[in-house]
Amino acid sequence: MSSFDTEVPPPQRRRAWTGVERTLAAMGLSGKALVIAAPAIWLTVFFLIPLAVVFGISLTVKQFGRPPYTPLLTNEDGTVQLTLHLNNYLRLFTDSLYVAAYLNSIKIALISTIIALLIGYPMAYAIARAPDQWRNILLMLVILPFWTSFLLRVYALSGFMRGNGVINNFLGLFGIEPLVMMQTDFAVYVGIVYTYLPFMILPLYTNLVKLDGALLEASADLGARPTRTFLTITLPLSMPGIIAGSMLVFIPAIGEFVIPSLLGGPGTLMIGRVLWDEFFANTNWPRAAAVAVAMLIVVVVPIMLLQRAQDAVQDKERAR
């Protein structure tokens, strides 16, 4: 008998997670279902259920007591009655205060997004084209403001723009009259752009750094000027980054509360401030809930439009 015939095959190694797989199979679950279940539970607990509670409160009316709104379900003599009030939503469309707040919020968020794009695009392009040893340093400088508190950054910004602030003191050295910047829409624009500019730069950088340099060289070899190369190659290929950055700036800006409160004036009416006043100053929880639900709808519509535009760009790239 040869030694080959007596050789014992090595024991078969058990795969990792075999016990987990058997346990899940016994429960009728698969690994795919478990992976999907985690975010589904998270969204249900922390988004859908709170949203349903807020929507339910928006269909009630204010009352004095705890809670400060009427119940949706009442039980009288064994009869359960559901009472829904739409007055809060009708008031949003008929009261000029809310209409002006929504329109002003959209205007400020839209203008701030355009300014952030005009400033962020050249910065992202410069970082993407910078030498490798400088790229990480420049990116760190972009995200460096996030290392400090958001509230402190906005409050420190007011120190630059107030009447006796840094900017007016500098202009005073040249005999220039002090500028009125605080308590104006200009200060709100500066605050929003300064705060959310990294959200515009980072998606643009991620898109521009993957741009094939051979395309730019081929365009230059064919005699195209830099402006035409940018408009026909760089800009179309960077549209996914532009759309992603615009969404990340526009969505939080439209419901901003802290920046208009610290930098804006009495005439700077934004929906975040109206919601705060309804909830805390007027203790009108149903009206505040209706404002929040309507604001969610206002935000979802541009998200869907931008998502459709992004899908169209990606489909066009795949078709090439």
Side-chain angles (χ1 to χ4, degrees):
M1 181 179 291
S2 64
S3 59
F4 179 77
D5 296 333
T6 59
E7 185 176 354
V8 179
Q12 187 176 3
R13 298 182 59 184
R14 297 186 60 183
R15 291 171 48 199
W17 304 99
T18 302
V20 177
E21 290 179 359
R22 290 177 179 174
T23 305
L24 291 175
M27 298 171 60
L29 297 175
S30 63
K32 183 179 180 180
L34 189 64
V35 171
I36 297 175
I41 294 173
W42 179 275
L43 288 175
T44 302
V45 173
F46 295 105
F47 178 72
L48 293 180
I49 293 178
L51 180 62
V53 172
V54 172
F55 182 69
I57 295 175
S58 69
L59 298 175
T60 63
V61 294
K62 178 184 176 182
Q63 71 173 7
F64 294 99
R66 290 186 180 180
Y69 52 87
T70 59
L72 283 176
L73 297 174
T74 56
N75 189 350
E76 295 182 359
D77 300 330
T79 303
V80 179
Q81 185 175 1
L82 176 64
T83 306
L84 303 177
H85 298 274
L86 299 178
N87 296 339
N88 296 312
Y89 289 100
L90 295 177
R91 185 70 178 273
L92 299 183
F93 295 100
T94 56
D95 194 325
S96 59
L97 172 69
Y98 301 104
V99 176
Y102 279 115
L103 294 179
N104 202 41
S105 298
I106 294 173
K107 184 194 76 174
I108 291 178
L110 184 61
I111 294 176
S112 301
T113 302
I114 294 173
I115 296 174
L117 176 62
L118 294 177
I119 298 175
Y121 198 102
M123 294 177 67
Y125 189 86
I127 296 174
R129 295 299 163 198
D132 293 341
Q133 63 270 23
W134 283 100
R135 209 171 282 170
N136 291 333
I137 297 175
L138 295 174
L139 283 175
M140 188 188 69
L141 293 176
V142 171
I143 64 175
L144 197 60
F146 287 114
W147 294 6
T148 59
S149 168
F150 165 76
L151 188 61
L152 287 178
R153 278 184 283 136
V154 177
Y155 191 73
L157 196 60
S158 67
F160 280 84
M161 294 189 291
R162 63 181 51 157
N164 57 351
V166 176
I167 296 176
N168 280 327
N169 287 336
F170 178 76
L171 295 177
L173 297 177
F174 303 95
I176 301 175
E177 293 293 328
L179 302 176
V180 178
M181 292 176 283
M182 285 294 295
Q183 309 297 319
T184 62
D185 287 353
F186 171 77
V188 177
Y189 289 127
V190 173
I192 292 177
V193 172
Y194 164 73
T195 303
Y196 295 110
L197 187 60
F199 293 106
M200 179 66 77
I201 294 176
L202 295 178
L204 282 169
Y205 164 77
T206 305
N207 185 267
L208 291 171
V209 77
K210 294 185 294 186
L211 186 63
D212 190 358
L215 296 175
L216 305 180
E217 294 178 0
S219 177
D221 293 340
L222 293 174
R225 294 180 179 276
T227 304
R228 185 174 182 181
T229 301
F230 174 77
L231 294 177
T232 56
I233 297 178
T234 306
L235 186 61
L237 293 179
S238 61
M239 282 305 293
I242 294 175
I243 295 173
S246 300
M247 291 173 64
L248 291 176
V249 174
F250 181 83
I251 293 171
I254 197 172
E256 184 58 54
F257 167 73
V258 175
I259 295 175
S261 298
L262 293 180
L263 304 180
T268 307
L269 186 63
M270 293 190 70
I271 199 62
R273 196 167 181 174
V274 173
L275 194 152
W276 174 278
D277 291 339
E278 291 289 357
F279 193 88
F280 291 101
N282 302 331
T283 325
N284 194 339
W285 289 23
R287 185 72 50 77
V291 171
V293 173
M295 187 171 67
L296 181 64
I297 296 173
V298 170
V299 172
V300 165
V301 172
I303 290 176
M304 294 177 64
L305 294 177
L306 290 172
Q307 185 65 42
R308 179 172 295 183
Q310 191 171 21
D311 293 341
V313 171
Q314 292 177 349
D315 293 340
K316 190 175 179 180
E317 290 180 355
R318 293 192 194 99
R320 289 178 179 176

